[in-house]
Amino acid sequence: MTEEHKLTPPADAKRVMRVADLPQDRSPARYEIRNLGEKPRLVTRDKRQRQILDLLIAGPVFCASPVRISDTVHIHKREIGLQVETTMYPGDPATGAGAYGIYRLISRVRRLDEQEAAA
């Protein structure tokens, strides 16, 4: 990775500035999670856990401090084996902003619709 890449987040990374920027659906949803070399598993997520999983499925993401998604990302990793990569970037000492991480989903995840979930 070049020095420039270490300083600049990817252009497709979504920055979430406030809770209202998260996906709004918090109802229970079923997902299929596939990790390389493992059997697929089905999980149900709701509330904040669903919001963060839907956010990760959409692409790389990082958040302003008040939103704090790291706890939920770690719950997904620990409880359902979700593979998520975290790349750290330096903050801006001139503004007092600290270092931050961008999360990128490694697992293949798809949300199942009502018919698939019933099968």
Side-chain angles (χ1 to χ4, degrees):
M1 182 180 286
T2 67
E3 195 63 31
E4 179 181 326
H5 283 61
K6 290 181 183 176
L7 299 176
T8 308
D12 64 342
K14 177 180 172 112
R15 184 171 187 185
V16 176
M17 297 294 290
R18 55 199 173 112
V19 173
D21 294 337
L22 295 174
Q24 295 302 300
D25 197 339
R26 294 170 53 93
S27 62
R30 295 204 28 97
Y31 298 85
E32 178 185 68
I33 298 175
R34 291 179 174 266
N35 293 325
L36 190 61
E38 297 178 10
K39 287 185 175 185
R41 75 184 139 262
L42 301 178
V43 299
T44 300
R45 297 280 117 172
D46 65 357
K47 301 178 184 170
R48 182 57 60 94
Q49 291 184 11
R50 177 183 175 173
Q51 288 176 296
I52 301 308
L53 188 52
D54 286 345
L55 189 65
L56 288 167
I57 290 169
V61 62
F62 63 111
C63 294
S65 295
V67 181
R68 295 266 186 226
I69 67 169
S70 59
D71 289 345
T72 305
V73 170
H74 290 291
I75 289 170
H76 287 316
K77 287 175 159 182
R78 184 179 63 245
E79 290 183 1
I80 63 174
L82 196 68
Q83 295 177 342
V84 178
E85 175 184 85
T86 306
T87 304
M88 296 302 296
Y89 293 86
D92 181 0
T95 64
Y100 60 95
I102 292 183
Y103 298 105
R104 186 174 66 85
L105 186 62
I106 303 298
S107 299
R108 290 189 339 203
V109 180
R110 70 182 176 110
R111 196 175 75 206
L112 303 174
D113 65 22
E114 299 298 323
Q115 292 174 338
E116 288 175 299

